[in-house]
Amino acid sequence: MRIGVLTGGGDCPGLNPAIRGIVFRAIDFNYEVVGIFEGWKGLIKNTSKTLTLEEVEEIISKGGTILGTSRTNPTKKEEDMQKVFENFKAMNLDALIAIGGEDTLGVANKLHQKGLPVVGVPKTMDNDLSCTDFTFGFDTSVTIAIDALERLRDTARSHRRVMVFEVMGRHAGWVALYTGIGGGADWILIPEKSVEVDKMCEHLKKAHARKKYAIVVVSEGVQLPSANAEKEELDAFGHMILKKRGIGEAIAEEIEKKTGIETRTAAIGHIQRGGSPTLFDRILGTRVGVKAVELIQEKNFGKMACLKGNEVIAAPLSEAVSTLKTVDESWVNFANKLIK
């Protein structure tokens, strides 16, 4: 049997451990693994190579993806969808493993519905995929963010400033929430909750009076009604590209205007995506990669390997991509207990 594997969407630490886990488990079943380059683009253009044990044996500690990635969406054009099916046959594939987030797995689900034997592996540093407790990439990205926050704390304390720290996460606030809680921030802004500017500024004045500095963590997807953020272009999946919104700058301006305290901002951006994966992401990436091959061996297609508690199980792709997993009220309440 020949299994194709691709990595689509944004890169994150843990992709290479997942690829490695796939190859290692495939060897047990005498399956051949074909790496498809640059996500769905590789299936459209028929670019791939066989992945051997020697090629993947030492990639467990490497960030990014050895296969490359893209945000190509084959469902936008009928001819691209046709190419996907044609090249699946041209590569002599018997099954396909798609590693990605809601967009990549959304395409995988549509292909499964059209008869392609496909299984999914969830990845996203945003941790916003349903049916799984965590996705690999998240733990590493938050660990990097907390390290950056601690460095910002030093300069905030030295200059008696408020520091606004903008993190990634798109339209789910998990990265900001965990960074803020784990880094001991004085205020956390997430897309799921409206910004209470006056309440935030009053609290920051108290925090600053007590310790001579304050830290605010803001998710890139937060909406600030008073900010005139220009409309962004959309990506191939119809999502607004957030890079030019500058929400951190807008929040910092509001804080300085209302508190009179010198306020600076920093955005970690794509630094969160790179670097060696943490132990958690190495283990999780490996486990879901192994599980994906076992789902193929069982002919259990249309499913995604996911983490529930401490078990890696199968969940329908259709359920995994049906709704975005966002921060719920219980987490908001927990975070509020730590704002003093």
Side-chain angles (χ1 to χ4, degrees):
M1 181 177 279
R2 279 168 61 89
I3 301 173
V5 57
L6 61 82
T7 54
D11 68 300
C12 70
L15 285 165
N16 285 326
I19 294 167
R20 180 178 182 270
I22 288 166
V23 174
F24 270 55
R25 189 62 171 132
I27 290 171
D28 296 335
F29 298 118
N30 200 30
Y31 296 165
E32 184 179 1
V33 179
V34 178
I36 299 166
F37 295 131
E38 299 177 24
W40 297 114
K41 185 189 293 186
L43 259 184
I44 294 170
K45 295 190 173 184
N46 194 3
T47 54
S48 65
K49 69 175 291 186
T50 300
L51 296 178
T52 64
L53 176 63
E54 290 74 19
E55 285 182 279
V56 304
E57 193 168 12
E58 297 182 358
I59 65 172
I60 195 166
S61 62
K62 297 184 183 301
T65 164
I66 61 168
L67 296 178
T69 187
S70 71
R71 296 192 184 275
T72 301
N73 182 2
T75 66
K76 290 188 73 175
K77 298 179 181 178
E78 184 58 39
E79 57 265 37
D80 285 347
M81 284 292 277
Q82 186 176 341
K83 280 287 187 183
V84 166
F85 280 89
E86 288 175 358
N87 288 327
F88 182 86
K89 291 181 180 178
M91 293 177 185
N92 295 315
L93 298 180
D94 300 291
L96 176 68
I97 299 174
I99 309 176
E102 58 163 332
D103 295 327
T104 301
L105 297 185
V107 173
N109 181 51
K110 290 176 181 177
L111 291 172
H112 167 67
Q113 292 171 350
K114 289 180 178 291
L116 202 74
V118 59
V119 300
V121 168
K123 71 87 204 163
T124 168
M125 57 159 285
D126 303 332
N127 199 39
D128 60 0
L129 261 173
S130 294
C131 297
T132 186
D133 291 344
F134 287 98
T135 51
F136 64 77
F138 175 69
D139 185 75
T140 305
S141 72
V142 175
T143 300
I144 293 168
I146 288 177
D147 179 71
L149 186 149
E150 295 295 348
R151 295 167 191 267
L152 288 175
R153 190 192 309 279
D154 291 340
T155 192
R157 186 187 294 116
S158 298
H159 289 272
R160 312 300 200 240
R161 289 172 176 161
V162 174
M163 296 296 295
V164 177
F165 183 37
E166 180 184 329
V167 298
M168 300 182 87
R170 295 198 61 81
H171 303 297
W174 295 108
V175 175
L177 182 82
Y178 271 61
T179 300
I181 293 174
D186 299 291
W187 202 262
I188 304 169
L189 297 172
I190 59 175
E192 292 86 346
K193 302 295 289 185
S194 58
V195 180
E196 299 177 281
V197 176
D198 291 337
K199 185 177 179 181
M200 172 181 66
C201 290
E202 283 303 311
H203 176 76
L204 292 176
K205 284 195 284 187
K206 284 191 235 176
H208 189 274
R210 184 175 72 246
K211 56 185 181 178
K212 305 304 181 188
Y213 77 94
I215 303 286
V216 177
V217 175
V218 56
S219 175
E220 64 179 348
V222 164
Q223 298 287 335
L224 186 63
S226 61
N228 295 317
E230 64 176 281
K231 184 168 177 163
E232 289 288 335
E233 71 227 59
L234 303 180
D235 66 15
F237 290 90
H239 299 305
M240 186 179 287
I241 300 171
L242 302 174
K243 65 181 180 180
K244 295 179 183 176
R245 293 181 69 245
I247 187 63
E249 289 282 357
I251 294 290
E253 288 175 12
E254 287 287 323
I255 292 170
E256 186 161 321
K257 181 171 68 176
K258 290 182 176 292
T259 66
I261 302 168
E262 187 179 15
T263 305
R264 294 289 185 272
T265 184
I268 192 169
H270 287 80
I271 292 170
Q272 279 191 276
R273 291 193 177 279
S276 183
T278 58
L279 172 62
F280 183 88
D281 283 342
R282 295 185 194 196
I283 299 298
L284 180 56
T286 302
R287 291 182 75 189
V288 291
V290 166
K291 181 65 173 180
V293 176
E294 292 171 351
L295 290 175
I296 289 173
Q297 196 271 333
E298 298 163 4
K299 301 192 183 325
N300 196 2
F301 300 113
K303 299 294 177 61
M304 176 184 85
C306 59
L307 182 70
K308 280 294 181 182
N310 196 37
E311 297 297 318
V312 175
I313 63 171
L317 278 170
S318 57
E319 289 184 22
V321 301
S322 61
T323 56
L324 205 64
K325 185 181 75 178
T326 54
V327 176
D328 59 34
E329 201 64 30
S330 65
W331 272 106
V332 173
N333 293 335
F334 177 71
N336 287 338
K337 293 173 185 177
L338 304 172
I339 301 296
K340 304 296 184 190

